[in-house]
C-alpha cells in the first residue's frame, strides 16, 4: 500500500547553497512516513493511545540525484516493505513535479522500531496486530550496504554541542533530524552537492542538557561523522558520500 504526499518547498527549507539541506530532506521523509502510518492506522497517535509506544528511526539511507530549491514541488511516495524481528522497513521514492511531469530525484530506505515511552525499551507487541499484514507492500529498493562506523580514532575536527529544548521531539529525546543538522554544522563541505548519498545509524538516545561531541573525518568525496555522548558512547553515526549520477 503506497501513499503519496506533495509539498512545495519554502524559502526557509533551503540553505546558503539555495538548495534543500540533507536534514530537511530527512525531515520531509519522516513527515511523509508519519502521515502514511496515520493513514494506515498505525501512526504514533494509535501507538501512544493503545500501547504507550512510538515509532523510532534506527537507520536510514538517502540518495539524492538532484537537490531541489525553493518553490519547487516535491512528491514523497512511501510504503512499508516488511515487518520482522521488531523492525519495520519503510521505503521512499522522491519526485519533482514540473509542468505536470514527475521526475525521480531521490530514493530512501529506512528502518524503524517501536519504543515504549515508559520503560524506554524496545517493544514489539504492536507488531502482533493483525491489521499490519494488510499494509505491507513488499516492494524492495536495492541499496549497497553502508559500512558500520564506530568512534573515530583520529578525527579531522570535533564540535561540541549541548542538547537543548529545541532539539527534542515528541519522544522526549533528541530529534533524528537534529543529528543530521549537527553533522552539517560540524562540517558542511558537501552541503549543496548532488548526486549525494547519506547513511545514518542511531545507536543511543540523548536528552535535554546532555553534552555531545560530533567527530568529523574528512576524506576525498566522503565525510564520516560520529556523535558521542558525555560518557564517550556512540549515539549516532553518519556518512555523506558523493555518488555517480544515475543512468
Amino acid at each position: 500500500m503506497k501513499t503519496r504526499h506533495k509539498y512545495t518547498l519554502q524559502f526557509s527549507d533551503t540553505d546558503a547553497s539555495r538548495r534543500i539541506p540533507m536534514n530537511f530532506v530527512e525531515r520531509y521523509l519522516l513527515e511523509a512516513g508519519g502521515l502514511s502510518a496515520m493513514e494506515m492506522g498505525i501512526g504514533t497517535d494509535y501507538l501512544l493511545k493503545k500501547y504507550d509506544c512510538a515509532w523510532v528511526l534506527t537507520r536510514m539511507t538517502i540518495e539524492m540525484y538532484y537537490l531541489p530549491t525553493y518553490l519547487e514541488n516535491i512528491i514523497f511516495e512511501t510504503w512499508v516493505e516488511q515487518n520482522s524481528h521488531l523492525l519495520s522497513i519503510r521505503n521512499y521514492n522522491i519526485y519533482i513535479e514540473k509542468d505536470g511531469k514527475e521526475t525521480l530525484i531521490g530514493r530512501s530506505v529506512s528502518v524503524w522500531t517501536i519504543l515504549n515511552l515508559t520503560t524506554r525499551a524496545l517493544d514489539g507487541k504492536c507488531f502482533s496486530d493483525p491489521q499490519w499484514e494488510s499494509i505491507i507492500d513488499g516492494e524492495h529498493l536495492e541499496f549497497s550496504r553502508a559500512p558500520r562506523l564506530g568512534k573515530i580514532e583520529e578525527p579531522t575536527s570535533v564540535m561540541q554541542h549541548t542538547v537543548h529544548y529545541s532539539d527534542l521531539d515528541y519522544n522526549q529525546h533528541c530529534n533524528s533530524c537534529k543529528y543530521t543538522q549537527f553533522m552539517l554544522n560540524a562540517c558542511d563541505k558537501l552541503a549543496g552537492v548532488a548526486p549525494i548519498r547519506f547513511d545514518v545509524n542511531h545507536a543511543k538516545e540523548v536528552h535535554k542538557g546532555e553534552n555531545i561531541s560530533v567527530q568529523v573525518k574528512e576524506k576525498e568525496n566522503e565525510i564520516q561523522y560520529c556523535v558521542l555522548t558525555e560518557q564517550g558512547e556512540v549515539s549516532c553515526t553518519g556518512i555523506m558520500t558523493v555518488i555517480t549520477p544515475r543512468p
Side-chain angles (χ1 to χ4, degrees), residues 136-147:
I136 296 175
D137 181 278
E139 182 179 338
H140 176 68
L141 288 184
E142 190 65 39
F143 283 89
S144 60
R145 181 176 291 275

Side-chain angles (χ1 to χ4, degrees), residues 59-76:
R59 62 183 184 269
M60 176 175 259
T61 295
I62 304 170
E63 286 187 354
M64 294 298 294
Y65 317 119
Y66 167 79
L67 292 172
T69 188
Y70 50 83
L71 303 183
E72 291 189 306
N73 295 317
I74 312 300
I75 297 171
F76 293 86

